[in-house]
Amino acid sequence: MESIGDDDELSSKTVSLRRRISFTILLLLLLLLISLSTRVSGSIDESGRRVIEARTGQDLIWVVQLSDLHFSVHHPERAIDFKNIVGPALSLINPSLVLITGDLTDGKSKDMLTMKLNEDEWLEYESVMQDVVKTSGLNKSIFYDLRGNHDNFGVPAVGSSVDFFSKYSINAQMGRKGNVNTITVETSERKHLFVGIDTTMHIGLRGPTNLFGHPTDELLSSLDSHLSQWDNQSAKPVAKISFGHFPLSFTALSHSQKSLKDVFLKHSISAYLCGHLHSKFGKNLKRHHHSGGISLSDNDLFQLNMRQSGAESTSNCSFGALPAAEFWEWEMADWRKNRAMRIMAIDRGHVSYVDLDFKSKSLRTIILPTFPLDSRFMSTSFARHKYECQHMISSSYDTIRAIVFSHSLIVEVVARVYDSSPGFDNLVMEAPMRKLGGDSSSSGATFFSLPWNYRAFEDPLPDRFWLQIEVTDIKGRLTLSEMRPFSINGLSSKVSWTWNEFRVMGCQWAALYYPILWAAMYSLFLVFLIPKCIIIVFKKQYTLKKFIAKRGPITLVLWILQDLCRMPVVWFGYMAYLLYLIFFPWFSGEVYTDSGNRTYMTIMGWVVTSSGADRKHEYIGQPDVMVLVIPHVVFVVIPSVLVVCCLVAEREIYKDHIRTVSGKKEDDHDRGRKKRSQRRSLLFSNRRLFRKSLLVASLALYWKHFKNCWALARAYEMNVVHFPGYSLVVPLLLLYVICKTHKVP
């Protein structure tokens, strides 16, 4: 009986121990959940909108943007660096959102010519992102990744077997299926609405003819609806940010000729964050858009400077008047080569950012000034309206503010203001900044402020005063922020684009495609038709003899072109080729990943068969095909015509030289011709140096055309049979002229 009692007592103790262990495990899980909730607190409201509560204790949030990761099986270091750098960096920064704006994988062969999706790259992306989420300690739901053109190479339809974005991306795993996704980050004073858009083409072509964003009318309508979701439904002011992959300069219009710019200006968003262009074209890939009283649907072909001319005007301070509609477009550098990351903050409605470069240095301390704003990149209409109409909220203007991210304890933060009128060495204010909230011994993100008399810095010059912040950590290491101009008056500092920056940001390439194409084609037609009409209709003949007698550029051009017209094979060959380029397919190739189906390309795009019941033919990839059409016309066809004209002219001048030196005179200007012959003897003697230089130019043209043909063959799995007209006509015509002009009768 005693043994039975002992067994019961032992069993009771075992049950008690198990209960304690279970309770301890539950308590640890609860603590873990509480720990995660301090990072982000999310909820779904009654209208189905996702709202995150920011726990910064201020009317302040910050988010991180990454773009153009290009994870590649041929460059494993990109993914390795991302895992080793981004996870710890996000743990330090602790953002409210992480936005990854496209080109998650590379989708290119080792020689960079074949462009289609590779599932191994997507498996790597999924694995790396899991490690980053775990290392950062952030909730996976605050990560938003978008599809870029590289993530859409060769995808015949969303959800198809090769649409790896719909399988491995964070958006797909979180159930975000649409082309427009929104998230609201809320503080005690303000709502911050973030709207992500996927404008990749609905049928993904292989590169290089997959370069532009293609918003549909349905997407624009959905975007409009999402951006207005808090209008008239929130007592708090709403700051609106949109993010996508393509800059507006590389975004086409919808079928009804509407644009993303129309919608953004309608809602006067603060900024549009994008990627796509990397940083090889420059570091100032930013553009300010302003309504300027013009119809929002007007599509300008060019914007010469970062800010539109006439963007600044006197504010209307009448009751109920709003500042002019505007927004900033901020393209960011890539992770692919530059290991770039952006931190963007919204402090009491003021938007600022800092771009980080993890390639050149290890960043132990990061400084992001949030007020006063950089006068080069602030929303001018909004700032001037507040200043001129005296709508400034004193609490947002009466302090200098900055966020400091550091692994080490920060012991001192000093703000300095310089007056640049006599030079940068004129320090007009220096004072220590005070930490707001929290324990001063903690590391990570810390908010500092400094009260100041902002009216003392009002000035009609937008770049007279410059701000710099110095941070000292516990180890005595100094970190300086970039010096930036500021303007309390709301005036903008002028920043000019370089030529390369203007090329990619200031030109609306989708709208420029047909004007460039038809200007080139009409010019070529005129080159061949005008001299022919002069011969047939006006019965006028222009020859070298006439040019020598009556010099002038018009006589020179007409003589050369009429000589070209007297070569029927060349004239009819080029005319037929130009008509072929306009009305017929250029080549056929495989535009999908491993489909085996071929389609053909014209100047209007690739012709594909829709997947619907009606099986219609439709053109896709317009204006994307301009990356093949314009270079071929401008850099192959036109140069070949110029070389042919020069060869024809050289033959006539050489014939004249031979007649002169052989004593065969045909006019009364023998002595003058002898003198001209002596001057031309070096270039047009028996050695014909000018002709040899033209042959070198022809070889260069052949080489360029061969490289283009080889790249196309690799990109779309073609051979000569699939593009005979494109690949052979120009070389054969050029070869014919070279042979025809070799011997002079």
Side-chain angles (χ1 to χ4, degrees):
M1 295 291 294
E2 291 180 1
S3 63
I4 293 174
D6 291 341
D7 290 341
D8 290 342
E9 183 178 356
L10 180 62
S11 177
S12 177
K13 290 181 178 179
T14 302
V15 171
S16 177
L17 180 61
R18 288 176 178 173
R19 287 176 178 174
R20 289 178 181 177
I21 293 173
S22 299
F23 178 77
T24 303
I25 292 173
L26 288 173
L27 182 62
L28 290 173
L29 288 173
L30 180 62
L31 290 173
L32 178 60
L33 290 174
I34 293 173
S35 173
L36 289 174
S37 70
T38 60
R39 296 277 186 152
V40 58
S41 177
S43 63
I44 306 294
D45 71 0
E46 62 278 3
S47 300
R49 295 169 293 204
R50 177 165 174 77
V51 181
I52 292 177
E53 181 183 349
R55 297 174 177 263
T56 60
Q58 307 286 334
D59 184 10
L60 168 70
I61 69 163
W62 56 90
V63 302
V64 163
Q65 181 192 2
L66 295 148
S67 192
D68 297 273
L69 314 185
H70 289 269
F71 287 179
S72 170
V73 294
H74 307 294
H75 300 277
E77 70 280 358
R78 297 173 189 170
I80 294 171
D81 289 348
F82 193 89
K83 180 169 63 176
N84 293 338
I85 294 173
V86 173
L90 292 179
S91 179
L92 169 69
I93 297 168
N94 190 19
S96 298
L97 294 173
V98 179
L99 313 175
I100 309 177
T101 51
D103 282 359
L104 314 178
T105 63
D106 199 40
K108 284 188 175 183
S109 60
K110 193 171 184 179
D111 61 6
M112 309 285 286
L113 297 179
T114 304
M115 306 177 201
K116 57 183 180 179
L117 298 188
N118 186 324
E119 190 169 11
D120 291 336
E121 295 175 351
W122 284 97
L123 289 168
E124 182 178 48
Y125 173 76
E126 180 186 43
S127 174
V128 168
M129 291 310 301
Q130 288 175 351
D131 287 340
V132 167
V133 171
K134 182 179 179 181
T135 304
S136 67
L138 300 174
N139 194 308
K140 188 176 181 179
S141 65
I142 72 169
F143 286 77
Y144 281 73
D145 51 7
L146 293 174
R147 195 193 308 258
N149 58 312
H150 282 249
D151 309 316
N152 198 36
F153 282 158
V155 178
V158 173
S160 65
S161 60
V162 294
D163 179 19
F164 301 127
F165 180 89
S166 296
K167 183 177 181 181
Y168 297 110
S169 69
I170 292 179
N171 269 14
Q173 293 170 2
M174 299 302 297
R176 304 169 192 146
K177 302 293 186 181
N179 290 334
V180 181
N181 290 284
T182 64
I183 180 73
T184 301
V185 182
E186 187 172 10
T187 65
S188 59
E189 303 293 332
R190 193 179 310 271
K191 283 183 170 66
H192 307 82
L193 175 63
F194 290 83
V195 182
I197 51 174
D198 174 7
T199 59
T200 53
M201 58 177 63
H202 67 286
I203 297 178
L205 301 173
R206 291 192 192 184
T209 54
N210 187 338
L211 186 66
F212 284 76
H214 293 263
T216 62
D217 287 315
E218 292 76 15
L219 182 143
L220 294 178
S221 177
S222 177
L223 174 62
D224 184 23
S225 175
H226 280 82
L227 283 172
S228 61
Q229 63 182 266
W230 293 112
D231 294 356
N232 304 319
Q233 295 187 26
S234 174
K236 299 178 180 179
V238 181
K240 300 177 182 180
I241 303 288
S242 186
F243 58 98
H245 179 65
F246 299 95
L248 299 188
S249 56
F250 281 83
T251 301
L253 299 178
S254 69
H255 182 72
S256 63
Q257 300 301 298
K258 294 180 181 178
S259 70
L260 289 174
K261 178 181 175 180
D262 297 344
V263 182
F264 292 157
L265 283 174
K266 175 182 176 181
H267 294 276
S268 201
I269 67 173
S270 297
Y272 171 58
L273 310 178
C274 58
H276 189 53
L277 297 178
H278 303 197
S279 61
K280 62 182 178 181
F281 297 103
K283 295 185 177 180
N284 283 321
L285 301 183
K286 306 165 183 69
R287 183 175 176 180
H288 181 256
H289 298 270
H290 190 277
S291 62
I294 309 172
S295 171
L296 300 186
S297 295
D298 287 348
N299 183 48
D300 297 329
L301 298 180
F302 302 102
Q303 181 173 312
L304 299 180
N305 290 306
M306 190 179 297
R307 288 181 179 271
Q308 290 173 294
S309 58
E312 294 185 10
S313 59
T314 303
S315 298
N316 180 6
C317 296
S318 60
F319 179 76
L322 297 175
E326 65 175 338
F327 71 93
W328 270 101
E329 178 184 358
W330 289 330
E331 203 268 358
M332 78 162 291
D334 58 286
W335 180 266
R336 176 177 177 260
K337 286 188 176 180
N338 294 283
R339 305 296 189 263
M341 175 189 288
R342 172 176 290 165
I343 307 174
M344 187 192 73
I346 306 178
D347 177 12
R348 308 181 196 183
H350 303 289
V351 183
S352 56
Y353 69 90
V354 61
D355 286 337
L356 310 176
D357 177 8
F358 287 99
K359 182 178 182 180
S360 60
K361 56 185 176 181
S362 175
L363 301 173
R364 292 183 172 274
T365 300
I366 303 165
I367 306 170
L368 173 52
T370 61
F371 191 84
L373 297 178
D374 191 327
S375 59
R376 296 168 296 184
F377 310 122
M378 68 179 181
S379 296
T380 311
S381 296
F382 178 70
R384 288 197 71 185
H385 183 80
K386 292 177 71 175
Y387 173 77
E388 293 181 2
C389 301
Q390 297 299 306
H391 292 162
M392 293 180 290
I393 302 172
S394 60
S395 61
S396 68
Y397 274 73
D398 60 10
T399 54
I400 296 174
R401 300 185 295 278
I403 312 172
V404 178
F405 307 92
S406 180
H407 292 283
S408 303
L409 174 65
I410 301 302
V411 296
E412 186 180 34
V413 178
V414 177
R416 296 188 179 95
V417 176
Y418 295 86
D419 185 349
S420 67
S421 50
F424 280 95
D425 57 345
N426 188 15
L427 181 65
V428 295
M429 192 187 92
E430 180 179 26
M433 301 181 72
R434 179 173 58 88
K435 180 181 177 181
L436 294 181
D439 180 12
S440 61
S441 64
S442 64
S443 62
T446 314
F447 191 50
F448 291 87
S449 70
L450 169 66
W452 67 329
N453 178 17
Y454 65 87
R455 293 198 178 275
F457 297 95
E458 294 176 349
D459 195 86
L461 295 177
D463 54 358
R464 175 181 175 181
F465 296 107
W466 293 66
L467 173 69
Q468 186 174 49
I469 294 174
E470 179 185 271
V471 174
T472 306
D473 66 14
I474 196 170
K475 296 182 180 179
R477 292 175 296 203
L478 298 179
T479 304
L480 293 172
S481 70
E482 177 192 14
M483 293 190 69
R484 54 177 65 186
F486 65 89
S487 173
I488 297 299
N489 307 44
L491 302 173
S492 62
S493 298
K494 297 296 185 289
V495 181
S496 297
W497 279 322
T498 64
W499 165 246
N500 279 334
E501 291 166 348
F502 163 73
R503 252 189 336 129
V504 294
M505 290 297 290
C507 299
Q508 203 64 33
W509 286 108
L512 284 170
Y513 169 45
Y514 280 128
I516 294 174
L517 172 63
W518 291 120
M521 298 302 286
Y522 287 150
S523 299
L524 288 168
F525 275 117
L526 291 176
V527 162
F528 290 100
L529 291 176
I530 288 179
K532 198 75 170 178
C533 290
I534 292 175
I535 295 175
I536 297 174
V537 178
F538 298 101
K539 308 298 183 181
K540 287 188 176 182
Q541 299 286 338
Y542 287 86
T543 61
L544 175 60
K545 177 181 176 181
K546 189 169 185 178
F547 168 66
I548 294 173
K550 185 181 179 181
R551 292 178 179 273
I554 295 178
T555 308
L556 172 65
V557 171
L558 290 176
W559 154 54
I560 294 175
L561 294 181
Q562 283 195 355
D563 267 0
L564 182 62
C565 293
R566 296 185 185 100
M567 302 177 70
V569 173
V570 178
W571 191 88
F572 282 106
Y574 269 108
M575 287 296 294
Y577 187 58
L578 293 177
L579 293 173
Y580 160 79
L581 292 179
I582 294 173
F583 295 109
F584 293 91
W586 285 31
F587 42 73
S588 68
E590 295 189 18
V591 296
Y592 302 135
T593 299
D594 304 327
S595 68
N597 297 323
R598 291 191 172 274
T599 184
Y600 57 88
M601 193 203 86
T602 72
I603 61 172
M604 297 174 63
W606 290 89
V607 181
V608 300
T609 304
S610 62
S611 57
D614 51 358
R615 306 288 291 174
K616 294 190 304 183
H617 290 287
E618 60 177 316
Y619 290 98
I620 61 171
Q622 189 279 324
D624 305 71
V625 294
M626 72 181 297
V627 300
L628 301 180
V629 174
I630 299 300
H632 181 67
V633 173
V634 174
F635 300 116
V636 175
V637 178
I638 291 178
S640 73
V641 172
L642 292 175
V643 171
V644 166
C645 289
C646 290
L647 285 168
V648 171
E650 188 274 341
R651 181 188 65 171
E652 291 302 311
I653 296 174
Y654 180 63
K655 285 168 59 177
D656 181 71
H657 170 75
I658 294 298
R659 284 195 297 266
T660 302
V661 298
S662 63
K664 297 178 180 178
K665 308 298 187 296
E666 298 180 359
D667 53 40
D668 299 327
H669 304 284
D670 299 343
R671 294 181 181 178
R673 294 182 65 187
K674 283 185 178 181
K675 292 181 179 179
R676 288 192 296 271
S677 176
Q678 292 173 358
R679 291 195 297 266
R680 296 197 302 261
S681 61
L682 180 62
L683 293 177
F684 303 100
S685 64
N686 290 333
R687 297 193 309 178
R688 303 181 73 178
L689 295 181
F690 185 67
R691 175 181 171 81
K692 291 177 180 178
S693 67
L694 292 175
L695 294 179
V696 172
S698 300
L699 288 175
L701 192 59
Y702 272 119
W703 175 245
K704 179 173 179 54
H705 186 56
F706 171 77
K707 286 175 62 178
N708 292 345
C709 293
W710 176 253
L712 283 174
R714 294 280 291 123
Y716 300 109
E717 301 184 29
M718 300 186 297
N719 53 46
V720 176
V721 176
H722 299 118
F723 57 146
Y726 175 90
S727 60
L728 297 178
V729 172
V730 169
L732 290 177
L733 286 172
L734 190 56
L735 181 61
Y736 174 83
V737 174
I738 291 173
C739 295
K740 192 73 174 176
T741 58
H742 176 62
K743 292 184 179 180
V744 178

